[in-house]
Amino acid sequence: MTGAVVRSARPGDMAAYVGAKTALIGSLRGTVLEIGAGRGSNFGLLDRTVSWIGLEPRRRARRELEARAQRDHRRTQVIAGSAEDIAVPAASVDAVLSTVVLCSVDDQRRALAEVRRVLRPGGSFVFCEHVLADAGWTRLALQAFAPVQIMVDGCDPARDTEAAIRSAGFADVDIEHFVQPGPLGTRLPFIVGRASVA
């Protein structure tokens, strides 16, 4: 990750996480590709001028996403596919958005390479993700619980998503850290950030 800069804030609470997420998503302009768009829960946070492309691998979620996009009267396009193989041309979007998606992709490295491929020069990857704890009881608990969570919903809470983003070759990376109290005294870590391409 040559030339990357990582700025880390002190861990804050989840109200601050929601505020940071809302502000960052609301700042996006131009053509925005959202990977793992789900059912469109971020529509209300996006500026009305955004031209939005939603990438969603699950057929049922795509149908709901298309219906919601039509009701919202935005310039929208819903496409099928995975983050590892994004069916849009290279250097064709101004921003890529990911909210709690990188925990469940099959191949983080390939997905992040695709994110970089589709971004225009100067474009941004905006992410809001849960990440592996640095150390201690929370890290051990996440690693122990990972096989069960993967079976339930495909999410791997033991992935080091922050390290994957840092090493993906972006020109610079800004990251803020947040924690949410979890069961049995755990403190679940989340990040919000922006990574840019040159």
Side-chain angles (χ1 to χ4, degrees), residues 146-155:
V148 174
Q149 189 71 35
I150 292 167
M151 286 176 52
V152 170
D153 62 9
C155 167

Side-chain angles (χ1 to χ4, degrees), residues 8-99:
S8 298
R10 289 186 315 167
D13 64 19
M14 291 309 286
Y17 166 83
V18 171
K21 172 184 172 181
T22 299
L24 199 52
I25 294 174
S27 74
L28 298 176
R29 297 293 184 271
T31 301
V32 176
L33 167 69
E34 183 173 359
I35 60 174
R39 293 174 172 84
S41 61
N42 290 319
F43 273 176
L45 303 179
L46 290 163
D47 188 84
R48 296 294 306 179
T49 63
V50 163
S51 179
W52 180 87
I53 303 168
L55 176 72
E56 175 53 49
R58 298 167 298 155
R59 181 180 300 161
R60 185 175 188 180
R62 278 198 310 275
R63 287 197 300 266
E64 293 180 30
L65 190 58
E66 287 166 350
R68 182 164 185 176
Q70 283 184 333
R71 288 193 306 270
D72 206 50
H73 304 293
R74 290 178 184 268
R75 288 175 292 168
T76 61
Q77 178 184 3
V78 177
I79 58 176
S82 70
E84 294 91 341
D85 189 18
I86 302 172
V88 302
S92 63
V93 301
D94 299 296
V96 176
L97 172 61
S98 170
T99 58

